Amino acid sequence: MPPLEAWEKVFLDDQALGEAHAGLGCIACHGGVGGTTDKEEAHQGIVRDPDPAQTCASCHESVVETHQDSLHATLAGYYTVLRARSDEEHWPQLMTAFDNHCDDCHASCGQCHVSRPTINGGGLLAKHEFKVPPPMNLTCTGCHGSRVNDEYKGKNQTADGQPIPADVHFNPGGMACFVCHSGDQMHGAPGVFNHRYDGPPDPSCTQAGCHENIGGPDDSIVYHSKPHMEKVQCQVCHAAPYKHCYNCHVQLSEEGVPYFKSDPSEIYFIIGKNPIQSPERPWEYVVLRHVPVARDSFAYYGENLLPNFDARETWTYATPHTIQRRTPQTESCNACHGNASLFLTEDFVRQKAPDEVEANRKVIVTKIP
Amino acid sequence: MRKGIWLFFGGLLGLVLAACLARPEITPLPPSPMLPAVPTLEATPVPPTETPAPAADSSTCIACHTSEETLRALAVEPEEVEHLSEGEG
């Protein structure tokens, strides 16, 4: 995104807020002190990103209520995967790391509707307009940049330099994030979600208005056979290669500035067993993505903070935004069947991450279909 | 497939229309607990603004944040720290 100078970040047009919001004045939302032209004095007690419960709730009650429990607000997904790999004893140290490195990622109302994400330096999107829909290139991809954005827009290439085309929904589809990820989803579906893949796929490729007839009686595509529909996630055939990250380590500089180091990412396609198989996600085979965690990711904060590292796979269930009609793995039936190089085998794991074989037992494919 | 597309856009249009009809009701804002007591100042000269001053006096906030000149003079560029990180986040 184009950078903003410091003054531009806070330059606004009070009319842009819209009548309802402008009528509140600034102080009702941000605190601070009125009636002075001295910057320091005016900014006493100022709150940059107002708490929705105290500011938006009086008028947008239902949105605030569900948003409070959404993953964007709670970051429950992070806690879920950390809890699975850690234990009570090491939790406090882990949370110190979390507060330093992850807390800025949470998305308040303003992070989608008013300002650029804090992790990108903040700054007003459009002179303090409350933007609907959120501009995808300034908000969503600010946080979902290195994976989703690059995949969706076709900015990756394989190890041997083959460019990977953009997701068909982006080109030629021209669909922005919010076309599939509705306001309702972004504001948090009612219910308890502890991870992004809890509950049924949302969105689902076959939901009303999308590809409802795939696998149905009128579908003449031979690949959409009953065993495939039952056992194989759509992305196994329709995803092009996508990004995998390894070995992220977090630490603080001497001045206390948080930073991280991770190994260069890799782009490849890999199929494994479904680690979260359920009636809602019944497939036996799904695509997997290596997530940036390593056994010693948090070593800076203490020894062995992930004592149960092997309790959770590191090649995890994935839904890459690299959808194509035809992919290399569907060039023919045998481009996939019997092609061991497409599957997460024990050999493959040993080669990429030798100390993660146990962690990935559940997803490793022992017999190539 | 064609039909699917139209159903999809039809549905989308329906959603947009529904969303337009379902505008939030305006209820008056209760006193915000975040509101610090605003000191009553005696006749502080306030730079002229085009908008009428709202209840809690925000006119000085607006005057400053709508003036490019003032902001350029007062804004401080944050220190660059990003470069410490290596790899993709």
Side-chain angles (χ1 to χ4, degrees):
Chain A
M1 57 182 84
L4 291 176
E5 285 178 44
W7 69 271
E8 277 180 294
K9 291 182 180 178
V10 297
F11 181 49
L12 52 84
D13 174 355
D14 54 312
Q15 300 302 312
L17 277 87
E19 219 173 296
H21 301 133
L24 298 166
C26 319
I27 295 170
C29 286
H30 290 288
V33 180
T36 169
T37 51
D38 180 72
K39 182 183 166 193
E40 301 301 323
E41 198 184 335
H43 286 185
Q44 292 269 318
I46 208 137
V47 180
R48 197 181 131 232
D49 190 359
D51 177 0
Q54 292 184 25
T55 53
C56 325
S58 50
C59 303
H60 302 287
E61 194 187 348
S62 61
V63 179
V64 173
E65 211 167 274
T66 52
H67 173 257
Q68 272 171 346
D69 296 329
S70 76
L71 297 183
H72 273 119
T74 63
L75 297 183
Y78 289 55
Y79 293 109
T80 298
V81 298
L82 289 175
R83 215 170 258 292
R85 295 189 177 109
S86 191
D87 61 10
E88 285 306 319
E89 190 192 332
H90 299 91
W91 195 247
Q93 282 161 290
L94 204 51
M95 283 305 101
T96 307
F98 189 87
D99 291 344
N100 286 344
H101 299 277
C102 314
D103 225 20
D104 269 357
C105 308
H106 100 115
S108 61
C109 319
Q111 295 277 285
C112 279
H113 290 295
V114 184
S115 280
R116 296 176 175 200
T118 304
I119 52 164
N120 303 132
L124 293 164
L125 295 170
K127 295 196 164 182
H128 213 309
E129 202 180 312
F130 287 74
K131 293 286 272 182
V132 172
M136 111 173 179
N137 292 328
L138 295 180
T139 59
C140 316
T141 61
C143 294
H144 300 289
S146 59
R147 275 190 305 113
V148 181
N149 185 52
D150 290 355
E151 288 172 5
Y152 194 54
K153 295 183 183 161
K155 294 185 174 179
N156 293 328
Q157 50 180 32
T158 56
D160 54 7
Q162 295 290 323
I164 295 160
D167 191 298
V168 286
H169 301 96
F170 184 66
N171 187 10
M175 291 161 76
C177 314
F178 72 89
V179 176
C180 294
H181 298 293
S182 65
D184 278 352
Q185 187 197 8
M186 293 298 92
H187 295 155
V192 181
F193 292 92
N194 293 316
H195 189 267
R196 60 187 63 173
Y197 293 123
D198 277 1
D202 183 11
S204 152
C205 310
T206 51
Q207 74 191 27
C210 298
H211 305 294
E212 309 176 60
N213 300 323
I214 297 298
D218 295 336
D219 187 347
S220 58
I221 294 171
V222 286
Y223 287 81
H224 292 166
S225 60
K226 196 156 177 283
H228 283 153
M229 291 294 110
E230 286 172 3
K231 292 181 166 179
V232 187
Q233 181 202 32
C234 312
Q235 286 87 340
V236 167
C237 287
H238 287 293
Y242 47 89
K243 191 170 286 177
H244 302 258
C245 296
Y246 301 87
N247 285 323
C248 186
H249 293 93
V250 291
Q251 50 200 302
L252 299 181
S253 72
E254 273 167 26
E255 292 81 39
V257 178
Y259 69 104
F260 66 87
K261 281 188 175 149
S262 60
D263 287 355
S265 60
E266 292 180 3
I267 305 287
Y268 59 85
F269 171 88
I270 202 84
I271 306 167
K273 293 279 197 171
N274 182 357
I276 53 169
Q277 202 176 12
S278 71
E280 290 162 330
R281 299 177 189 265
W283 314 285
E284 210 176 312
Y285 291 88
V286 299
V287 295
L288 301 173
R289 186 197 296 277
H290 196 282
V291 287
V293 72
R295 212 174 280 277
D296 58 353
S297 279
F298 301 97
Y300 176 86
Y301 290 91
E303 230 172 273
N304 198 25
L305 295 194
L306 302 177
N308 295 320
F309 186 76
D310 291 342
R312 199 182 159 87
E313 64 282 0
T314 54
W315 270 274
T316 70
Y317 183 99
T319 51
H321 291 71
T322 56
I323 303 302
Q324 299 297 320
R325 179 193 180 107
R326 301 300 305 236
T327 50
Q329 69 270 23
T330 58
E331 254 164 35
S332 68
C333 307
N334 289 336
C336 183
H337 280 281
N339 180 358
S341 73
L342 291 183
F343 293 87
L344 191 87
T345 57
E346 187 169 329
D347 279 352
F348 183 87
V349 174
R350 284 194 192 287
Q351 175 210 325
K352 294 273 182 206
D355 92 331
E356 294 179 10
V357 176
E358 282 320 305
N360 291 290
R361 277 280 171 235
K362 215 170 150 185
V363 291
I364 286 175
V365 177
T366 48
K367 193 168 151 275
I368 307 300
Chain B
M1 192 58 225
R2 270 271 144 81
K3 196 165 143 229
I5 289 273
W6 287 114
L7 275 174
F8 176 61
F9 283 115
L12 206 68
L13 184 68
L15 277 178
V16 170
L17 287 176
C20 293
L21 291 174
R23 278 292 181 222
E25 263 182 52
I26 312 175
T27 37
L29 184 72
S32 164
M34 289 187 4
L35 254 174
V38 180
T40 31
L41 295 173
E42 298 151 47
T44 319
V46 170
T49 56
E50 279 159 21
T51 39
D57 185 7
S58 294
S59 54
T60 43
C61 318
I62 297 172
C64 181
H65 280 272
T66 54
S67 160
E68 181 175 337
E69 204 184 325
T70 314
L71 291 179
R72 275 189 189 274
L74 292 175
V76 188
E77 286 295 338
E79 271 178 66
E80 195 57 62
V81 288
E82 274 293 282
H83 67 272
L84 284 171
S85 292
E86 286 169 26
E88 285 159 288

